[in-house]
Amino acid sequence: MSPTPAEGRPPFLTSAPANPSGAAMTPSDAQLAAITADLKQRGVTGTFTVLKAVSITWNDGSLGCPEPGKFYTQALVPGAQIVVSVGDQRYDYRFGGGSTPKLCENGK
């Protein structure tokens, strides 16, 4: 026998979040400008192509790309992952709450 909702109260319903982690997104102008500036600083020339852009909630301040010997905040960090290519080279950028990118170079 199934339980019935309390008299006068609707049944409990759940819904998915509006923008779950890993959901496709369009990079902001600030994020694209930050990637352009970082690539230029690294001496990378040419126009980049966005291969992947997702909003994601990182498990900690490492933005899913921890470096050995470093310590990170242990809190959820809303952000994004934007992977771009220039020629045949790929660049995996991670963003936290702002528009400052972190290039993930350790293949994670």
Side-chain angles (χ1 to χ4, degrees), residues 18-84:
N19 193 6
S21 290
M25 47 90 65
T26 301
S28 70
D29 290 341
Q31 289 169 327
L32 294 175
I35 290 171
T36 300
D38 186 74
L39 289 171
K40 183 177 180 181
Q41 180 182 350
R42 294 172 188 279
V44 178
T45 59
T47 304
F48 65 82
T49 301
V50 176
L51 302 176
K52 174 183 176 182
V54 294
S55 63
I56 191 165
T57 299
W58 304 108
N59 290 329
D60 58 31
S62 73
L63 307 180
C65 191
E67 296 177 39
K70 287 196 173 184
F71 295 96
Y72 298 96
T73 58
Q74 298 300 302
L76 297 177
V77 179
Q81 177 183 25
I82 302 172
V83 180
V84 301

Side-chain angles (χ1 to χ4, degrees), residues 3-16:
T4 59
E7 187 68 32
R9 188 172 359 145
F12 181 72
L13 300 175
T14 61
S15 63

